Amino acid sequence: MSVLFEPIKMGDLSLNNRIILAPLTRCRANYQRVPNDLMKKYYCQRASFGMIITEATSVDPLGVGYPRTPGIWNEDQVSAWRNITDAVHEKGGTIVMQLWHVGRISDPIYTGQTPIAPSAIAANLKVSIIRPEKKFDTPRAVTLEEIKQLVEIYRNAAKNAKRAGFDGVELHGANGYLLDQFLQSKSNIRTDQYGGSIENRAKFPLEVVDAVIDVWGAGRVGYHIAPRCDSHDVGDENPLATFSYLVSQLSMRNIAFICAREYEAQDSLVPKLKNLFSGKFILNERFTKESGENAIQNGHADAIAFGKLTIPNPDLVQKFKMVEKLNQPNPKHFYNEHKYLFDLAEPLPKEGYYEADKMGYTEYLKV
């Protein structure tokens, strides 16, 4: 039997297999960012995975940066998520929520406010769906008091996730979003206790981890990293040192797992980082059944998270077991219907276009 089908214990989580559903943004929540029946069906179809990690879910209205992504800051969202977790549990599944704040990767069209970040440095990129094209606004550097407030926002989101019936939470500390922006030296040039040294840059992410542990206990908390530093214009002067410190600190806190968006490459930091971590290590990106098995057998991972393959193959676990041919992902179907995806509830500019340019598929819709 494949090593992928062996049960595994991650902290307080007991999983039936080592095939993890990676967090995948699908832009399917309603206009108020409340989960719906389509999302319930999506997660129930994948209850056979050892663990479901939900799509990134915003902890605060200021933390959103994409259309129709779900939130976990109000009662309607909690209730709707509870409907989903109950249904997944009835099918024997394990489901954890990924907690998310995009920081500077937002735009006033979503929030009506200037984005926030550790430092007033804009990502040198263009906002993905706004036309005519516009660059990201320069964010406002948060104050020390606001950092304290952000820690409490994450704490409250963790409490809401618990009330919504989840089995645990994963903090989204990757891909150039808020926690990652604090960690990496290119996006964090603060001169106070939250900037400068690696220890200072990791201070806010670790304060968030501690707050979430207070709610859940370490055995039901995970953390998502991307040590290649290749998303949303972040970067670090010494990724190995920075992520080694972070992973060592997470290990000291005895959290259940780390999920790294990192494929196996010669220059991968994963083998070194995994050796620093006492919990379970999940790898995600570009894996096939065979390469996932090899990563576990080689000691580079304890489990594998699959992403794009799971969209056209909700029964991926069964297909792996039966060695059945897989449906191939079609990028045109990664997100919700475009006519709904860009019919935003938030105020729209009087002029301009929104472009559904996800994964190479382009359709212009006039505002």
Side-chain angles (χ1 to χ4, degrees), residues 137-174:
D137 289 357
T138 298
R140 178 176 60 79
V142 291
T143 65
L144 292 176
E145 182 59 33
E146 286 174 318
I147 291 176
K148 293 180 182 178
Q149 293 169 3
L150 282 165
V151 173
E152 293 310 307
I153 285 170
Y154 273 98
R155 187 194 305 273
N156 188 61
K159 290 179 179 178
N160 285 345
K162 198 169 191 177
R163 291 195 297 120
F166 283 92
D167 298 300
V169 292
E170 181 195 63
L171 286 164
H172 196 339

Side-chain angles (χ1 to χ4, degrees), residues 229-251:
C229 311
D230 59 350
S231 294
H232 290 125
D233 198 32
V234 289
D236 193 80
E237 57 195 6
N238 191 337
L240 178 58
T242 295
F243 282 91
S244 292
Y245 176 77
L246 176 68
V247 168
S248 296
Q249 289 293 312
L250 294 174
S251 183

Side-chain angles (χ1 to χ4, degrees), residues 243-265:
F243 282 91
S244 292
Y245 176 77
L246 176 68
V247 168
S248 296
Q249 289 293 312
L250 294 174
S251 183
M252 290 173 58
R253 287 161 169 80
N254 294 314
I255 68 169
F257 67 89
I258 286 175
C259 183
R261 183 182 62 78
E262 180 87 344
Y263 58 84
E264 294 216 289

